[in-house]
Amino acid sequence: MLMALCALAACGNGGGGSPAAAQLFYNGLRPFPAVVGEAIALTPAMSGKANLYTVTPALPSGLSLNARTGVISGTPTQPSAAAIFVVSATGAGVRVSFPLVLSVTEPPHGLSYASPVSAIVGAALAPLRPSIAGSVDRYAVSPPLPPGIVLNGSSGILSGTPTEDRSVAPYTITAESLAGSTHFVLVLTVTPSRSGAMAR
């Protein structure tokens, strides 16, 4: 029985082993996407006993590390690109670190376009670029735009040459990211070309 306990604990030179190395983890090893204005709390999973936690470099603005518990908490105030923050834990005979990958994204907001817009059948529409703050993964529009006019799902730019006239109508453009979404209602009219109108 004593030998079995010794083997499990890897005790003494006679056991032929050494104590298992302490391990430290946050967030299941996955990069953590924080969001501006949203509170977070990351609790470490630690094998072994630590009494002091430190981190380098300094965490993004609004976040802090509890030196005693290792909990990272707070509300991010500014966006920042994904970066590695090395958290170290020390204690009696214990020194271990973990590279936490953390980013802070800002939800898209303040979406706007020049509006209202008047287009003409057969005439290329001057590209309409969105004004927006925050990070955007994709753009979408509803209902479908008039034939010939397209919305770039990555840049949010409206462009093209309309092929059919359309009466004035609202089109809701949405900018989305994992952090959130925002909307803008664009008012658009497509009038017949002068030659087309004369032919009618």
Side-chain angles (χ1 to χ4, degrees):
M1 184 67 174
L2 178 59
M3 291 180 63
L5 289 174
C6 250
L8 288 172
C11 58
N13 291 333
S18 59
Q23 292 183 312
L24 172 65
F25 299 102
Y26 281 88
N27 198 45
L29 297 177
R30 298 186 303 274
F32 186 83
V35 177
V36 171
E38 293 187 9
I40 68 167
L42 298 177
T43 301
M46 176 76 183
S47 64
K49 186 170 180 59
N51 52 31
L52 178 64
Y53 290 84
T54 58
V55 62
T56 183
L59 291 167
S61 175
L63 300 180
S64 61
L65 171 73
N66 187 305
R68 186 176 60 83
T69 65
V71 173
I72 294 173
S73 62
T75 302
T77 59
Q78 295 179 355
S80 61
I84 296 175
F85 300 88
V86 179
V87 182
S88 298
T90 57
V94 172
R95 181 172 180 82
V96 64
S97 60
F98 177 77
L100 173 66
V101 180
L102 178 66
S103 65
V104 180
T105 58
E106 182 180 11
H109 60 94
L111 175 64
S112 67
Y113 288 82
S115 179
V117 177
S118 181
I120 300 173
V121 172
L125 180 69
L128 298 175
R129 301 179 182 274
S131 172
I132 192 167
S135 60
V136 180
D137 293 333
R138 58 190 172 276
Y139 291 85
V141 62
S142 179
L145 292 165
I149 300 178
V150 295
L151 171 71
N152 186 300
S154 299
S155 67
I157 295 175
L158 281 164
S159 62
T161 302
T163 59
E164 298 178 10
D165 59 289
R166 287 286 189 273
S167 57
V168 61
Y171 298 88
T172 300
I173 300 175
T174 303
E176 301 176 311
S177 76
L178 290 176
S181 64
T182 186
H183 312 276
F184 180 79
V185 177
L186 176 77
V187 178
L188 174 63
T189 307
V190 180
T191 59
S193 64
R194 179 173 299 181
S195 57
M198 292 176 63
R200 290 181 183 180

